[in-house]
Amino acid sequence: MQKVLVTGGTGYIGSHTVVELLNSGYDVDIVDNLSNSKIEVINAIEKITNKRPNFHKLDLLDKTSLDSLIDNNHYVFVLHFAGLKAVGESVEKPLLYYRTNLDSTINIIEAMLVYGVNNFVFSSSATVYGQQESPECIESMQTGSGITNPYGRTKYMIEEMLKDVHIAHPDFSATLLRYFNPIGNHPSGLIGEDPNGIPNNIMPVIMRVATGKIKELSIYGNDYDTPDGTCRRDYIHVVDLAKGHLAAMQHAKPGISVYNLGTGKPTSVLELLAAFETAAGRKMPHIFAPRRSGDVAEMWANPNLANQELNWHTDLTIADAMRDTLKFLESQR
């Protein structure tokens, strides 16, 4: 049984990936400092899979403890989800983001190289594409130019750092998975997107509007050059996204591999809201607010490379994501 270390494994995407790993027969260790997640997720994962991942409460900036963990285990893969990810906060606190996201990744890679762990899967982001002339993003596009926030720049810097590590260590394998917009929750309703504090992504806001915790959804801009005036994005069900990590592991090879994980189909903010309203059977209060700085009108993935090389495809729809979101909300009552 191969042993896998998952950083940030109690978080939204990490926890769903842990479920897929356990169901596929991997032995999983989770490292998380619980800064934006809850320890109860471990019990939920066990309920779903009938297997309990090993949990280590550890901050990746604690190099001594991290080194000891990797030294004392025989990991075959490290999947790196941990990091700060709020775009707005990154603009307000850039040094916090550079320190946390860059130093934690450096600590992990250094430990992997010392203790002979050669397979790394990185939770990257479509933000590395910046502002392109075409809204359809392809892996061969230039990255790094036009990134509008420190969060996105940390993802770009880590990608570049991993390329340099491979040059120095040819046996090192790093797969860079560029996510688009994850939504939805596990169909069991037991785990889902439930950030601590004020949510930054659209679905947790809609969920809190639905439960009355937030008065209304603010839609930033309704005058874009799109069919309904609101931004269009590539929303991917988190379970499909989690399965993309298994596919990446199964096709890992020495070198740097880069894949978009998205559906290839854009959905507007108003269309996303309407899908939730259809699933919930009621309207959600919303207002239109001024555009946010840095938002582009349209952006979606070209997922053909992952389709072809990883034999990975999305199976779940926006409607599935809304169904599973409602299940998660019901389980929280």
Side-chain angles (χ1 to χ4, degrees), residues 183 202-203 235 267-276 318 322:
I183 60 171
I202 186 169
M203 283 309 303
Y235 295 102
T267 300
S268 76
V269 174
L270 281 177
E271 287 172 336
L272 191 74
L273 178 61
F276 184 85
I318 298 287
M322 298 308 155

Side-chain angles (χ1 to χ4, degrees), residues 85 87 123-132 137 142-156 159 177-181 233 260 294 299:
K85 64 173 187 175
V87 169
S123 170
S124 192
S125 168
T127 58
V128 301
Y129 290 114
Q131 296 181 332
Q132 302 279 350
C137 296
Q142 180 183 355
T143 57
S145 176
I147 299 175
T148 58
N149 57 80
Y151 159 73
R153 280 189 279 275
T154 65
K155 293 293 188 183
Y156 169 71
E159 286 196 1
L177 299 179
R178 294 174 180 164
Y179 307 164
F180 279 70
N181 296 74
R233 294 292 184 266
N260 289 334
M299 189 177 193

